[in-house]
Amino acid sequence: MQIETPAREYHPELISRRGEMTSWLLGIISLAAWIILLVGDYPVFFGLPVVTVVLLLAAFSISLGNWMDRQSVIRITSDRIMFRNGVRHTELEWDQVEQVKRYKHKWGDKVHVIGEHSHFSFRTFGEVKVGGEVKGRMGFKDGDEILGILLESAELREIEHDEQYSYYAR
């Protein structure tokens, strides 16, 4: 039984880029210090190059994650679900969706959608709170709606369930 749904696109909440900028700033400052020490013919302690590389890799990783979030979209039509994030593009017709795994998390549940030849993951909406104050939002705001449509349209039923994990299949 396929659900007649008008085509709908979903986009994730975008997190603040403050952490990304801070990471790049620290990496560049560390790199500048390393270069100044080298040019000034001062000794460079082993820790500085290690810290510099780690900071620059972290900055790159955060930037990649933010770029992927900005490219992410889930599109649902009456006959399929499509996921794209700039790196991965997956389309599954409803009868190709074999299983769905949902892992509970305080910052939005992680949902794995698995087909015979492809798969994708997304996060439902979650808030990062520190001291009771919301510091950030992440995941798909309508993530629970997406999951509901997905389970119903693909005709999946719950096979296994506990406090932290749910498994759905035919």
Side-chain angles (χ1 to χ4, degrees), residues 67-100:
W67 176 78
M68 287 172 43
D69 282 350
R70 282 165 173 65
Q71 304 300 311
S72 292
V73 62
I74 292 177
R75 182 175 170 82
I76 294 178
T77 64
S78 61
D79 65 338
R80 72 186 64 227
I81 186 167
M82 183 272 297
F83 173 83
R84 184 181 68 238
N85 71 357
V87 175
R88 174 180 289 282
H89 179 86
T90 301
E91 281 190 49
L92 294 167
E93 292 182 8
W94 295 124
D95 62 352
Q96 294 174 324
V97 178
E98 295 180 345
Q99 54 185 293
V100 171

Side-chain angles (χ1 to χ4, degrees), residues 32-88:
W34 185 8
I35 291 170
I36 289 168
L37 290 174
L38 285 175
V39 170
D41 204 26
Y42 293 103
V44 176
F45 298 101
F46 175 73
L48 182 59
V50 171
V51 168
T52 300
V53 169
V54 168
L55 286 172
L56 292 174
L57 286 174
F60 175 76
S61 176
I62 294 167
S63 292
L64 178 61
N66 284 341
W67 176 78
M68 287 172 43
D69 282 350
R70 282 165 173 65
Q71 304 300 311
S72 292
V73 62
I74 292 177
R75 182 175 170 82
I76 294 178
T77 64
S78 61
D79 65 338
R80 72 186 64 227
I81 186 167
M82 183 272 297
F83 173 83
R84 184 181 68 238
N85 71 357
V87 175
R88 174 180 289 282

Side-chain angles (χ1 to χ4, degrees), residues 18-37:
R18 185 179 313 152
E20 176 183 5
M21 295 304 131
T22 301
S23 186
W24 277 113
L25 181 63
L26 291 173
I28 291 168
I29 289 170
S30 180
L31 180 62
W34 185 8
I35 291 170
I36 289 168
L37 290 174

Side-chain angles (χ1 to χ4, degrees), residues 81 92 94 96-103 109-115 118-122 124 143-144 146-161 165-170:
I81 186 167
L92 294 167
W94 295 124
Q96 294 174 324
V97 178
E98 295 180 345
Q99 54 185 293
V100 171
K101 298 176 182 179
R102 180 181 192 164
Y103 299 91
D109 298 349
K110 187 74 170 183
V111 178
H112 298 283
V113 180
I114 303 164
S118 61
H119 62 90
F120 66 91
S121 298
F122 69 93
T124 62
D144 290 327
I146 295 167
L147 181 60
I149 294 170
L150 171 62
L151 295 175
E152 192 171 341
S153 297
E155 299 179 355
L156 302 180
R157 61 183 175 86
E158 190 173 71
I159 304 296
E160 189 178 330
H161 175 82
Y165 171 78
S166 297
Y167 172 70
Y168 304 88
R170 293 186 196 284

